[in-house]
Amino acid sequence: MLRVGAVVDELGGELHGDADRVIAGILPLHLAGPTHLSFLSHPRYRRDLEHSQAGCVIVPPDMVNIARQRGDCIVAQQPYLYFARLTQLWKRMQRQGTEDDGPRIHPSAVIDPSATIDPSARIGPLCTVGERAVVGADTVLVARVSVGERCVLGSRCLVHPGVVLGADGFGFAQDGAEWVKIEHLGAVRIGNDVEIGANTCIDRGALLDTVIEDGVKLDNLIQIAHNVRIGPHTALAGCVGVAGSADIGARCTIGGGAVVLGHLRIADDVHISAATVVTHSLPKPGQYSGIFPIDDNAAWEKNAATLKQLSRLRDRVRKLESLSPPLSEH
Amino acid sequence: MLRVGAVVDELGGELHGDADRVIAGILPLHLAGPTHLSFLSHPRYRRDLEHSQAGCVIVPPDMVNIARQRGDCIVAQQPYLYFARLTQLWKRMQRQGTEDDGPRIHPSAVIDPSATIDPSARIGPLCTVGERAVVGADTVLVARVSVGERCVLGSRCLVHPGVVLGADGFGFAQDGAEWVKIEHLGAVRIGNDVEIGANTCIDRGALLDTVIEDGVKLDNLIQIAHNVRIGPHTALAGCVGVAGSADIGARCTIGGGAVVLGHLRIADDVHISAATVVTHSLPKPGQYSGIFPIDDNAAWEKNAATLKQLSRLRDRVRKLESLSPPLSEH
Amino acid sequence: MLRVGAVVDELGGELHGDADRVIAGILPLHLAGPTHLSFLSHPRYRRDLEHSQAGCVIVPPDMVNIARQRGDCIVAQQPYLYFARLTQLWKRMQRQGTEDDGPRIHPSAVIDPSATIDPSARIGPLCTVGERAVVGADTVLVARVSVGERCVLGSRCLVHPGVVLGADGFGFAQDGAEWVKIEHLGAVRIGNDVEIGANTCIDRGALLDTVIEDGVKLDNLIQIAHNVRIGPHTALAGCVGVAGSADIGARCTIGGGAVVLGHLRIADDVHISAATVVTHSLPKPGQYSGIFPIDDNAAWEKNAATLKQLSRLRDRVRKLESLSPPLSEH
């Protein structure tokens, strides 16, 4: 429970209404009641705002009149950002009542004696941390995380269960039909403020390190191969696969299930749609896509069959063009 | 080892043949010998039935004559369903001889004292169960499963190794180039009779819960993002990714590697083909697909190159149509 | 630190230069300095060779003159293969100084007493090995690996963290709207010299075993469903999904994120491009692809919209062809 006044004291914003109103939770506009705080994340939800029963709503400056006709509000330049900070405040508040968070290093974790764990870091249950690995200040390995030998995590990282950092990259030389393993002598180097989702894997480099720069956010079940670099503040959604030695710039976003092939370069500020396959370098910022459109199965089957003849269809069109009267006549 | 008579006593069906025949195993028609039980899963395997050396076969009523010419059989309305129940019977029988299944809660599991574990539930080795989590009756966490704080599993669920329930959803607000974390105050709520495959992840909701309803079956390496709802008896094959706030109906099936984008709604009884990307809501039942057809590499390259010019090709066809004699003449 | 002479003594090759040069590391041509060994992996990097500051470079016979103009070199028939063996030598050398690798079976691992672990195998921390499972000679489970009951691993396998071998396959019979579980009575059988990447899953078979043959290499986050067979020396890149009962031949390669549907057969020596969906059997060796080409978002949208009308576009071309003068006239 928080007073609205306490929220504004902590997070700023201009309160129109009762500072002593007590808030029991945060809910979307259409579900919130008189004891809830809510927020307008986008102007398209203006209707929901008008009808919301929320005790208080967070709105941008240009919505203040509409919001006040409805009841109490907090005016913030960026309501969604304000909401994010509110969730953080809420979590801290919830934590206050409970006992402390238990031991800094859970006794079930298996830590190599040569590893360096910052005294403020937290290593949850059933993690493994290898030889000479480094875990920075305030970094949290939630549970069941593996950090391989010599891998380095910066400060304030959050690593969810099942993550594997520093498994061997997938590298082999061929000797006839057989694969001869390339031992991976590099490691994984992760900057500050990186979040890594559940069951995501980041492989160690062959000779140099795989590098994840500051502020990168990785969702669940992502595969980052050896020698990849991901630039600062880039975010990858779930199930993305990045092949070896790909170099991804800063402030990119990559949608869920996308695949980035190896040995290519993606510029800063590139945005890749979900399920798109990046087959060549993208030297310019922009939004890129490559998704087969979904359709009912019968229509898809017909179109897919024609697609297999597409270059021939183009040849047929060319032939028709060569047969038809010159375009200049029209 | 089971007598055929014991099978029929337990599972029903009409036996034609020797009830005292002893069965040492279950095998497909073409591999079964005189000590094996087999089954006809589909009429297209009729040939295999005719030539099978199986000691006894499970067949539908309309195959009884063919089956009896061959030897012993059990007649069942749905042989594949009968087979499924037979595998369950077989497993129970195999278990009987062995000592008991060990402790209900393996001593290596790390369970928060505030969690509620039903006395009939089994928590396997090296699992973690967080604060105030709930595990229902007869639910089994096989091994190395993580259940986050406040997540709830119903009764008779089966959760395979490596599963992560209730990691934080992937939610951030932007503050310039930086991502500001949205703390996830919701949890994961899982109904009864849900099976969750190895290394699958289900994230907690931001404000409300992520919800998996009764009888849902999830294969391995699936990603279910925050605030998703999956309706009863829906089944997802391996490597599917479901983005945030997607709402999937009842009795759907989603093929392996498919991607469901966020904030969309899939009706009941929708079937999505493997590797298809669901980019918009699907309000009607049916089968939907979107797969780029595989081809030999040279043919694919030509067709893919033409595909990048496809809308221009359509414009060229339009132009040709405008140049050609009126269709009414033909 | 290794003397160049010691490298050649161990791995062969013809040294041109100073056998007493001491090497502090291995680096790519453009980053190597006088204390580094480097290698020419492909003739296209000849420029890098000419300008490399490496103390010594590994080159093929036809590059010896260029290499010697630059400085010391080792001539090897296959420099990349030589490099792979060099990384192995390097790792062994690095290991020599350190204390031994700890206990053969880490005390935190949970091993069923009926499992058979070869005395030379290593079971890392927080692994689980089920009833009657078998782990062969010199096989290593790095950490947090689960091996299900009755699963068998051959000799010299390397299994990375988070791997799940022998979870139940995804098999159910329908009983009205409900799914009835098919208990999986088979297991997983893995040959010799198999490497399995982090968080990869291989499900047990329903009646027979899922089989991974000798020398197979699996990258991270791969899903191998029940009853699959993968032939010797086949390699699968990250995030591949293989559906049930697929039978994949020897010496195949499957690119990252590809999906192989169930109950189909892939011949020996088939190569599948990344992110390709194999929807039917491929009885002939070759390279196969099916990737929607990436484009800037606006162009993709137009082409994708046209693609949904493609079979109609073909019909329109047919009509135009029927209207146009006979081709023989041209």
Side-chain angles (χ1 to χ4, degrees), chain C residues 272-290:
Chain C
I272 307 289
S273 298
T276 292
V277 187
V278 183
T279 48
H280 52 73
S281 289
L282 297 171
K284 285 191 209 157
Q287 173 88 33
Y288 298 87
S289 305

Side-chain angles (χ1 to χ4, degrees), chain B residues 156-213:
Chain B
R156 297 174 304 282
C157 295
L158 176 56
V159 186
H160 288 286
V163 166
V164 181
L165 304 178
D168 286 345
F170 196 63
F172 303 90
Q174 278 194 288
D175 184 15
E178 303 207 3
W179 299 102
V180 174
K181 183 175 176 68
I182 294 167
E183 291 291 351
H184 279 63
L185 307 171
V188 175
R189 213 151 19 95
I190 291 171
N192 301 317
D193 302 299
V194 171
E195 183 163 343
I196 306 178
N199 284 347
T200 280
C201 301
I202 306 177
D203 279 350
R204 62 178 58 245
L207 297 176
L208 304 167
D209 292 344
T210 303
V211 176
I212 311 294
E213 299 201 0

Side-chain angles (χ1 to χ4, degrees), chain A residues 84-154:
Chain A
R85 296 207 165 107
L86 175 62
T87 62
Q88 296 180 4
L89 174 63
W90 200 264
K91 188 156 185 189
R92 285 198 300 275
M93 180 269 294
Q94 284 184 322
R95 282 275 149 207
Q96 269 167 16
T98 70
E99 68 267 55
D100 90 309
D101 283 338
R104 286 286 171 194
I105 298 183
H106 195 277
S108 64
V110 179
I111 318 277
D112 190 273
S114 64
T116 304
I117 315 285
D118 187 277
S120 64
R122 299 181 57 83
I123 312 292
L126 304 169
C127 293
T128 66
V129 181
E131 286 176 49
R132 285 177 289 150
V134 177
V135 180
D138 295 312
T139 282
V140 176
L141 313 186
V142 174
R144 294 204 302 103
V145 169
S146 288
V147 180
E149 58 172 31
R150 292 178 287 112
C151 294
V152 177
L153 280 147

Side-chain angles (χ1 to χ4, degrees), chain A residues 174 176-179, chain C residues 189-195 211-218 229-236 247-253 266-271:
Chain A
Q174 279 194 288
E178 304 208 2
W179 300 103
Chain C
R189 214 149 19 95
I190 291 172
N192 302 317
D193 303 298
V194 171
E195 183 163 342
V211 176
I212 311 294
E213 300 201 359
D214 291 351
V216 166
K217 308 298 176 187
L218 303 178
R229 184 192 74 99
I230 301 186
H233 308 297
T234 281
L236 275 60
D247 182 324
I248 300 175
R251 299 176 305 279
C252 296
T253 59
I266 295 179
D268 296 344
D269 301 300
V270 162
H271 305 283

Side-chain angles (χ1 to χ4, degrees), chain C residues 182-205:
Chain C
I182 294 167
E183 292 290 351
H184 278 64
L185 308 172
V188 175
R189 214 149 19 95
I190 291 172
N192 302 317
D193 303 298
V194 171
E195 183 163 342
I196 306 178
N199 283 348
T200 280
C201 301
I202 307 177
D203 280 349
R204 63 177 58 245

Side-chain angles (χ1 to χ4, degrees), chain B residues 321 327, chain C residues 314-324:
Chain B
E321 286 170 338
L327 291 180
Chain C
R314 184 202 51 202
D315 293 344
R316 286 158 63 185
V317 171
R318 269 191 201 149
K319 181 151 280 172
L320 284 165
E321 286 169 338
S322 73
L323 297 176
S324 83

Side-chain angles (χ1 to χ4, degrees), chain A residues 4-248:
Chain A
V4 169
V7 170
V8 176
D9 288 349
E10 189 78 22
L11 303 180
E14 186 190 345
L15 173 63
H16 298 260
D18 179 8
D20 287 323
R21 180 186 292 276
V22 171
I23 294 300
I26 312 165
L27 278 181
L29 289 166
H30 67 291
L31 296 174
T35 63
H36 297 120
L37 203 46
S38 192
F39 63 102
L40 183 72
S41 60
H42 193 278
R44 72 170 160 260
Y45 299 119
R46 179 186 156 157
R47 260 295 168 84
D48 287 347
L49 170 63
E50 287 167 7
H51 296 93
S52 179
Q53 303 298 313
C56 184
V57 293
I58 305 157
V59 293
D62 61 350
M63 289 286 177
V64 64
N65 289 334
I66 295 165
R68 291 191 66 179
Q69 281 168 28
R70 196 209 57 90
D72 291 3
C73 67
I74 297 169
V75 180
Q77 290 303 321
Q78 300 177 71
Y80 194 61
L81 179 58
Y82 195 100
F83 157 66
R85 296 207 165 107
L86 175 62
T87 62
Q88 296 180 4
L89 174 63
W90 200 264
K91 188 156 185 189
R92 285 198 300 275
M93 180 269 294
Q94 284 184 322
R95 282 275 149 207
Q96 269 167 16
T98 70
E99 68 267 55
D100 90 309
D101 283 338
R104 286 286 171 194
I105 298 183
H106 195 277
S108 64
V110 179
I111 318 277
D112 190 273
S114 64
T116 304
I117 315 285
D118 187 277
S120 64
R122 299 181 57 83
I123 312 292
L126 304 169
C127 293
T128 66
V129 181
E131 286 176 49
R132 285 177 289 150
V134 177
V135 180
D138 295 312
T139 282
V140 176
L141 313 186
V142 174
R144 294 204 302 103
V145 169
S146 288
V147 180
E149 58 172 31
R150 292 178 287 112
C151 294
V152 177
L153 280 147
S155 298
R156 296 174 304 280
C157 294
L158 176 56
V159 186
H160 289 285
V163 167
V164 180
L165 304 178
D168 287 345
F170 196 63
F172 302 90
Q174 279 194 288
D175 185 15
E178 304 208 2
W179 300 103
V180 175
K181 182 174 177 69
I182 294 167
E183 290 291 351
H184 278 63
L185 307 171
V188 175
R189 213 151 18 95
I190 290 172
N192 302 317
D193 303 299
V194 171
E195 183 163 343
I196 305 177
N199 283 348
T200 280
C201 301
I202 306 177
D203 280 350
R204 63 177 57 245
L207 298 177
L208 304 167
D209 291 345
T210 304
V211 176
I212 310 295
E213 300 202 0
D214 291 352
V216 166
K217 307 297 177 188
L218 302 178
D219 197 355
N220 299 349
L221 288 166
I222 288 173
Q223 154 68 353
I224 308 290
H226 50 187
N227 300 103
V228 165
R229 184 191 74 97
I230 301 185
H233 308 298
T234 282
L236 275 61
C239 306
V240 165
V242 181
S245 302
D247 182 323
I248 300 175

